[in-house]
Amino acid sequence: MLLAFDTATPAVTVALHDGERVVASSTTVDARRHGELLAPTITALLDEAWVPRQDLTAIAVGVGPGPFTGLRVGLVTARTLAAVLEIPVYGVCTLDVLAAEAVDAATVDGPFLVATDARRKEVYWASYDEAGRRLDGPHVSRPADVATDRPVVGRGGLMYPDAFPRPVRPEHPDARVLAAVVSEERAELLDPEPLYLRRPDAATPGKPKKVS
């Protein structure tokens, strides 16, 4: 029984996969409530599927790229559960999950980009071939610097139409797809470490200067 979740975007998305299919899932889009939503959603899905935590055999988690706070919620939860239950945890680039869903849903018909909101008027992005294999990235850039006429999957395509005139679905990652990607080994499996791509906004102050 695989528990999959991603908090690298405004979506808090969770799914349970029994090795053959998804048995329960939930997605809530709320950029400010990752910490409040994730644990209760996991508990609710386990109860809905009548699955005790001890029956979980692995965890899949989106590792970003994404903003520091939301991404940290998912990764800390994944590592904590894996340690307590003594089960493996597999990380997947969140952009790869979006790419896989776009290919499965046939919203792309050739090479494409995936772009998500990086805030500060930037996007996290990666490029893919028509089969959803990552060719470049992930990176963080200004939209104008990676402007393209190719289809662009993800929230970034919707936010910056001047740079990305062909936005396509999905907008946010789906844990059901993350679970399937891990079960079928359709993307590179990573350590559960965050892909921040840049420093967090909050930083430890440096050593104070001497007063002369």
Side-chain angles (χ1 to χ4, degrees):
M1 185 66 69
L2 173 70
L3 172 65
F5 50 87
D6 190 300
T7 59
T9 72
V12 177
T13 180
V14 185
L16 280 171
H17 192 287
D18 67 3
E20 296 182 357
R21 63 185 180 89
V22 172
V23 297
S25 67
S26 173
T27 297
T28 303
V29 178
D30 190 331
R32 298 185 179 184
R33 298 181 61 213
H34 293 83
E36 296 175 41
L37 291 170
L38 182 58
T41 301
I42 291 172
T43 298
L45 288 189
L46 291 172
D47 290 346
E48 176 187 333
W50 294 82
V51 175
R53 291 190 180 189
Q54 293 75 14
D55 284 358
L56 294 175
T57 55
I59 293 172
V61 63
V63 298
F68 179 81
T69 303
L71 190 53
R72 180 179 58 185
V73 168
L75 288 166
V76 168
T77 300
R79 290 196 293 255
T80 300
L81 281 173
V84 170
L85 299 173
E86 298 182 338
I87 57 177
V89 54
Y90 304 106
V92 177
C93 174
T94 298
L95 305 183
D96 291 353
V97 177
L98 284 158
E101 183 173 355
V103 170
D104 290 349
T107 61
V108 292
D109 56 3
F112 62 96
L113 261 62
V114 174
T116 59
D117 182 17
R119 303 177 183 173
R120 306 183 194 174
K121 297 182 179 180
E122 294 179 324
V123 292
Y124 298 118
W125 67 275
S127 63
Y128 295 82
D129 68 12
E130 62 279 359
R133 291 183 289 262
R134 180 156 31 107
L135 303 175
D136 189 19
H139 305 291
V140 58
S141 305
R142 294 180 302 174
D145 293 338
V146 289
T148 181
D149 290 330
R150 293 179 177 179
V152 178
V153 177
R155 177 65 179 162
L158 296 169
M159 293 178 66
Y160 301 102
D162 290 344
F164 309 127
R166 294 182 61 192
V168 297
R169 299 288 179 179
E171 180 178 352
H172 300 298
D174 189 326
R176 295 175 297 179
V177 179
L178 169 59
V181 163
V182 171
S183 295
E184 300 163 13
E185 298 185 11
R186 293 176 56 192
E188 181 183 5
L189 301 183
L190 307 170
D191 291 332
E193 298 295 333
L195 291 174
Y196 289 133
L197 303 190
R198 66 186 180 202
R199 289 186 171 185
D201 292 332
T204 304
K207 185 177 180 181
K209 295 181 180 180
K210 293 184 179 179
V211 178
S212 56

